[in-house]
Amino acid sequence: MIRELMKKYICFMYPAATLIYTWYLFCSWVRTGIYLTAVLALGTVFIVCLGFVTFRTFEDRLFTAYLVYNLISGIWCIYYGIPFSVYIGEVSTTAVPMVLYYAGRGFDEKEAGWYYNGYLAASLFMGLFGALLYVWAPQFYIDFSYVNEFISKADAPTMRVRMNSLLGSGPTAVYLTYAVCVSAYFIRSREKKKRVYGLVCIILAILLSFMANQRSSMFSIILVVIFFSVVDYFVDKDKPKKFLWIEIGTVAAFIAGIFVFAKGVFEKFYIRLASIPQGFGERSESWVAAVNDMHNVWLGDGLGSRGHRAAEFQHYIVADGGLVKLYTEMGVIGTSIIIFLLFIVYKKSLNKIGSVAGEIAVITSAILMSIGSNVLEIELCAPVVYFCLGRAVRKINESNQF
């Protein structure tokens, strides 16, 4: 009974987090970061108590080595002049979510469904509530957005440039991008009700994420949809190929409809997507400066040393570029560990791509968006990525041991 309650708690951490942010909208004194950390910390304790922390596979040992490396890097992070408080803050937002890997490893198919259902409910609520506020534009929400620096001017036109929901447009877009990927768990189910549910979720998640108007999110979603279609074509042999053409035709008709009936909206999204190369150019100078400023190329400068919290103590931080931030903090050694792990997971997944499509999509989206944003240090969004990584490792090793 206690074990089941612990598992249910882990599955409902995302709905709980959404309630915390909703509470904050109406009560400005709520410390969302502290409450969210508390929710995750308790979930971490339950994961350990459930005995999910495992070293059975080579992938488990690699991931554990990476997690431990992140934690012990605090030694040289502090040695290089970064305060302990910066390191601890980064542990709460970056390292603690990593423990969800072991929940993904420990949950069976039914329990994973509970977790994914909780995630979809939380992310779609955040998106739908954000869309309501976007259309309604009440003054209290405009003031809320301005105080939290989501917008630069407290008026409705500025607020409607991007849908910010309760998180800001960046985290909201990331939250919903993963929802697009997670929907695959239900779409690929044998039960018709689950397939319909998954289809509704993925459509809503795509529409809502595009309202957030973040180019890395939109680009990732386009690739994910193509990826799912390719998987369906090559893996589902029993599925009539005409459905693939129906999907392509539907997407083409949808895009054409927007172009004809809402040309302004089409141009807005097109301009954002076309500006992706420009975004790389804008960030590349700061990336090079941060890499050249590293104290130790092999060890890295330590967890948190190049994040937002270290802005007062570093000449150069990586504000937008999660992959560069990872390298500058973890160095060649830490970066090599996680790259090697991902290489193994991707390689083994090729033989079971039909069953791990959703998890691979989440992981790949996180990597793509990390090129230009620090998505893996968003405390609300990171846990599902590590859960999916653990889930993928479980699935690719199910024929052996898990």
Side-chain angles (χ1 to χ4, degrees), residues 20 44 74 88-89 103 113 120 151 157 178 187 202 219 232 238 245 247-249 287 335 369 375 393:
I20 290 170
T44 298
I88 287 298
L120 285 176
I151 56 178
Y178 296 153
I187 290 175
I202 197 171
F219 179 71
D232 284 345
D238 297 330
W245 295 108
E247 290 173 8
I248 295 173
W287 294 345
T335 306
M369 290 188 289
V375 300
V393 170

Side-chain angles (χ1 to χ4, degrees), residues 157-196:
T158 305
M159 186 274 293
R160 287 193 174 118
V161 171
R162 300 175 184 175
M163 184 185 74
N164 293 293
S165 190
L166 307 177
L167 307 171
S169 62
T172 298
V174 175
Y175 208 20
L176 290 164
T177 299
Y178 296 153
V180 173
C181 305
V182 168
S183 298
Y185 174 86
F186 298 97
I187 290 175
R188 303 188 67 79
S189 172
R190 294 182 179 180
E191 297 179 30
K192 184 177 179 180
K193 288 184 179 179
K194 287 185 177 181
R195 292 200 301 271
V196 172

Side-chain angles (χ1 to χ4, degrees), residues 185-228:
Y185 174 86
F186 298 97
I187 290 175
R188 303 188 67 79
S189 172
R190 294 182 179 180
E191 297 179 30
K192 184 177 179 180
K193 288 184 179 179
K194 287 185 177 181
R195 292 200 301 271
V196 172
Y197 171 70
L199 183 61
V200 171
C201 287
I202 197 171
I203 292 173
L204 284 175
I206 291 173
L207 293 175
L208 294 169
S209 62
F210 270 62
M211 287 181 68
N213 199 19
Q214 290 289 332
R215 51 196 173 194
S216 62
S217 169
M218 293 188 286
F219 179 71
S220 296
I221 287 173
I222 291 170
L223 290 185
V224 164
V225 172
I226 294 172
F227 169 65
F228 286 159

Side-chain angles (χ1 to χ4, degrees), residues 61-343:
R61 293 189 284 274
L62 272 177
F63 182 81
T64 302
Y66 179 67
L67 174 56
V68 171
Y69 190 86
N70 272 265
L71 295 175
I72 65 172
S73 70
I75 296 172
W76 48 92
C77 177
I78 296 168
Y79 176 78
Y80 291 135
I82 304 300
F84 181 71
S85 59
V86 172
Y87 164 72
I88 287 298
E90 196 73 14
V91 167
S92 67
T93 57
T94 302
V96 172
M98 292 183 188
V99 181
L100 268 294
Y101 167 91
Y102 300 106
R105 286 286 287 113
F107 277 8
D108 61 25
E109 192 72 14
K110 181 179 179 181
E111 293 158 352
W114 293 343
Y115 183 86
Y116 289 146
N117 199 46
Y119 181 82
L120 285 176
S123 58
L124 291 178
F125 172 83
M126 188 70 74
L128 290 169
F129 191 42
L132 173 64
L133 294 169
Y134 178 89
V135 174
W136 180 20
Q139 190 59 47
F140 76 88
Y141 176 67
I142 294 174
D143 295 337
F144 170 85
S145 300
Y146 181 74
V147 169
N148 286 277
E149 300 181 351
F150 298 162
I151 56 178
S152 58
K153 187 178 179 182
D155 58 27
T158 305
M159 186 274 293
R160 287 193 174 118
V161 171
R162 300 175 184 175
M163 184 185 74
N164 293 293
S165 190
L166 307 177
L167 307 171
S169 62
T172 298
V174 175
Y175 208 20
L176 290 164
T177 299
Y178 296 153
V180 173
C181 305
V182 168
S183 298
Y185 174 86
F186 298 97
I187 290 175
R188 303 188 67 79
S189 172
R190 294 182 179 180
E191 297 179 30
K192 184 177 179 180
K193 288 184 179 179
K194 287 185 177 181
R195 292 200 301 271
V196 172
Y197 171 70
L199 183 61
V200 171
C201 287
I202 197 171
I203 292 173
L204 284 175
I206 291 173
L207 293 175
L208 294 169
S209 62
F210 270 62
M211 287 181 68
N213 199 19
Q214 290 289 332
R215 51 196 173 194
S216 62
S217 169
M218 293 188 286
F219 179 71
S220 296
I221 287 173
I222 291 170
L223 290 185
V224 164
V225 172
I226 294 172
F227 169 65
F228 286 159
S229 298
V230 171
V231 170
D232 284 345
Y233 185 84
F234 287 103
V235 175
D236 294 347
K237 302 296 183 182
D238 297 330
K239 184 177 181 179
K241 302 309 179 207
K242 66 178 182 180
F243 288 127
L244 177 61
W245 295 108
I246 291 173
E247 290 173 8
I248 295 173
T250 302
V251 172
F254 178 72
I255 294 174
I258 293 178
F259 181 78
V260 173
F261 299 105
K263 192 172 182 180
V265 175
F266 179 87
E267 290 176 348
K268 179 180 179 180
F269 291 142
Y270 176 77
I271 291 171
R272 286 294 289 167
L273 287 168
S275 68
I276 289 177
Q278 179 185 349
F280 290 145
E282 293 169 351
R283 293 173 170 86
S284 60
E285 186 176 342
S286 64
W287 294 345
V288 172
V291 170
N292 290 336
D293 193 51
M294 288 174 66
H295 293 91
N296 192 311
V297 173
W298 289 97
L299 292 176
D301 290 352
L303 185 64
S305 62
R306 296 289 170 177
H308 293 84
R309 294 182 179 87
E312 298 179 19
F313 313 100
Q314 290 280 27
H315 291 297
Y316 303 103
I317 64 168
V318 184
D320 296 295
L323 299 184
V324 177
K325 177 178 179 291
L326 188 153
Y327 173 71
T328 55
E329 293 184 348
M330 297 295 105
V332 173
I333 296 174
T335 306
S336 298
I337 294 173
I338 191 62
I339 289 176
F340 188 35
L341 171 61
L342 290 173
F343 172 77

